[in-house]
Amino acid sequence: MAFMRKYLLPILGLFLAYYFYSAKEEFRPEMLQGKKVIVTGASRGIGEEMAYQLAKMGAHVVLTARSKETLQKVVSHCLELGAASAHYFAGTMEDMAFAEQFIVKAGKLMGGIDMLILNHITSTSLNIFKDDIHHVRRSMEVNFLSYVVMTVAAMPMLKQSNGSLVVVSSTAGKIATPLLASYSASKFALDGFFSSIRTEYSLTNINVSITLCVLGLINTETAMKAISGIIDKDPAPKDECALAIIKGGALRQKEVYYDKSPWIALLLGNPGRQILEFLSVYSYNMDKFVNK
Ligand SMILES: NC(=O)c1ccc[n+]([C@@H]2O[C@H](COP(=O)([O-])OP(=O)(O)OC[C@H]3O[C@@H](n4cnc5c(N)ncnc54)[C@H](OP(=O)(O)O)[C@@H]3O)[C@@H](O)[C@H]2O)c1
Ligand SMILES: *[C@@H]1O[C@H](CO)[C@@H](O)[C@H](O)[C@H]1NC(C)=O
Ligand SMILES: *[C@@H]1O[C@H](CO)[C@@H](O)[C@H](O)[C@H]1NC(C)=O
């Protein structure tokens, strides 16, 4: 009890004060005006919606996915909506050389990067896991490894612009999700990796924000088809979801929760994890790693 009173309560108090009183800036669409933004998986679904929202806000966009024809249409529509500029490079994120080159080319084209939105995933159907090692590997490569490769390629430009990295994940990257084991594993990997490097950035004064977006079920065509006859649940709208992701990135939030139910954010906020992460930082001496 004495320990509780002496350490735990003051720490909890500090933590809660920090949590609730840290100044919350308001989002304004002008924040994206003229910004240089990359969106992956932008040929359909949430990625396509994000491209349109960014276009309306007057951003420069460079998009990617595999299907050239679809990207061409999305780019034309972005220009109609008022994008400062809109381009695409088509290719597969199974190919790490493409992932890297895409970022280099997009950066050159726009003369820098302010925001990198990593959103694509390899196609996945709901199934009991038996022995499809191939799909586990493909999920890890496309949904996780290519995100790391692109982050590495973009980091010099993001550092230069004090930019933002936005990683699109899922509730399946926070809780056990039957029928989606490989997908879930790749989304958990994003949390482990990007939350860890976010802490490294903060300890070594690198001013690039990392926003992990935890999405519930969204009404994209792919998702609706995948769950049909298996999961009976109300989806949230993809346009509102796209806006929530962009807002979170622009406001440099650590995490964005977007789901039909407001309970998700509350329950997955995980104060235990946050307190432990907050405290563990004090046991590190980072002198060796700063400015290297
Ligand atoms: N929809 C949901 O219910 C939901 C829920 C939670 C999280 N999320 C997350 O939200 C993000 C977007 O989901 P979504 O529902 O919008 O997906 P989607 O509609 O299926 O779109 C996926 C995008 O990724 C691209 N893609 C697929 N395979 C690719 C590959 N090998 N290389 C490069 N690009 C590839 C697709 O274009 P091409 O086929 O032309 O390549 C498409 O543009 C994902 O990160 C997903 O995990 C979605
Ligand atoms: C990035 O942030 C640093 C420190 O706040 C500031 O000095 C610099 O001007 C900023 N650069 C840009 C491009 O905003
Ligand atoms: C980091 O960059 C953002 C965006 O440019 C800026 O608002 C903020 O002041 C910078 N923070 C630090 C500590 O330099």
Side-chain angles (χ1 to χ4, degrees):
M1 253 353 254
F3 172 80
M4 280 271 290
R5 226 174 303 126
K6 211 163 158 194
Y7 297 107
L8 224 46
L9 289 179
I11 285 165
L12 202 66
L14 264 178
F15 176 78
L16 288 174
Y18 169 80
Y19 195 77
F20 286 106
Y21 292 102
S22 48
K24 294 219 162 70
E25 203 184 347
E26 283 276 328
F27 175 77
R28 292 166 288 111
E30 304 86 75
M31 285 174 164
L32 272 303
Q33 196 166 15
K35 293 286 190 235
K36 299 157 183 166
V37 186
I38 292 177
V39 185
T40 73
S43 65
R44 52 191 148 86
I46 300 164
E48 179 187 5
E49 284 299 323
M50 289 194 279
Y52 297 153
Q53 306 266 359
L54 289 161
K56 282 188 228 165
M57 295 171 193
H60 295 272
V61 293
V62 178
L63 312 176
T64 186
R66 289 167 306 174
S67 136
K68 212 171 162 165
E69 298 71 36
T70 328
L71 283 171
Q72 223 146 21
K73 284 185 203 144
V74 177
V75 159
S76 311
H77 193 42
C78 284
L79 290 170
E80 286 165 16
L81 290 172
S85 72
H87 296 90
Y88 72 88
F89 296 102
T92 178
M93 291 297 172
E94 286 160 279
D95 176 1
M96 298 307 143
F98 170 75
E100 187 197 341
Q101 278 311 304
F102 165 66
I103 294 294
V104 172
K105 286 188 206 156
K108 259 198 199 131
L109 192 63
M110 295 190 287
I113 303 172
D114 293 303
M115 188 182 283
L116 171 59
I117 305 181
L118 299 170
N119 164 76
H120 65 274
I121 45 165
T122 189
S123 63
T124 295
S125 53
L126 273 68
N127 236 318
I128 298 276
F129 177 76
K130 286 197 202 78
D131 56 5
D132 194 353
I133 305 292
H134 183 71
H135 190 252
V136 178
R137 178 172 288 125
R138 187 149 41 93
S139 300
M140 292 310 288
E141 291 192 345
V142 177
N143 302 1
F144 171 63
L145 191 61
S146 74
Y147 282 38
V148 176
V149 167
M150 283 192 274
T151 298
V152 170
M155 202 39 75
M157 294 180 270
L158 288 174
K159 278 186 189 168
Q160 200 141 54
S161 64
N162 294 332
S164 307
L165 181 61
V166 179
V167 176
V168 179
S169 186
S170 163
T171 48
K174 290 281 186 184
I175 62 177
T177 310
L179 306 181
L180 284 170
S182 313
Y183 171 80
S184 174
S186 68
K187 293 299 198 184
F188 266 81
L190 292 174
D191 191 358
F193 185 83
F194 286 99
S195 302
S196 297
I197 64 168
R198 184 198 294 117
T199 308
E200 291 178 359
Y201 289 2
S202 114
L203 292 174
T204 56
N205 301 322
I206 294 176
N207 192 10
V208 175
S209 64
I210 299 182
T211 304
L212 184 76
C213 304
V214 181
L215 313 181
L217 184 61
I218 312 299
N219 68 356
T220 64
E221 230 171 273
T222 316
M224 294 303 94
K225 227 182 263 170
I227 66 158
S228 154
I230 305 173
I231 300 173
D232 182 20
K233 206 171 162 234
D234 251 358
K238 60 183 177 182
D239 51 347
E240 204 182 285
C241 173
L243 188 59
I245 295 170
I246 295 166
K247 273 186 189 174
L251 295 175
R252 306 175 85 80
Q253 289 170 357
K254 285 187 179 183
E255 294 193 332
V256 168
Y257 289 89
Y258 183 80
D259 187 87
K260 193 90 184 162
S261 156
W263 287 101
I264 291 289
L266 195 71
L267 292 174
L268 286 182
N270 200 344
R273 170 177 162 170
Q274 291 194 48
I275 291 168
L276 287 172
E277 287 179 352
F278 179 79
L279 293 178
S280 77
V281 161
Y282 292 102
S283 40
Y284 287 83
N285 174 4
M286 300 294 285
D287 289 352
K288 252 175 95 168
F289 306 106
V290 179
N291 292 324
K292 285 212 175 123

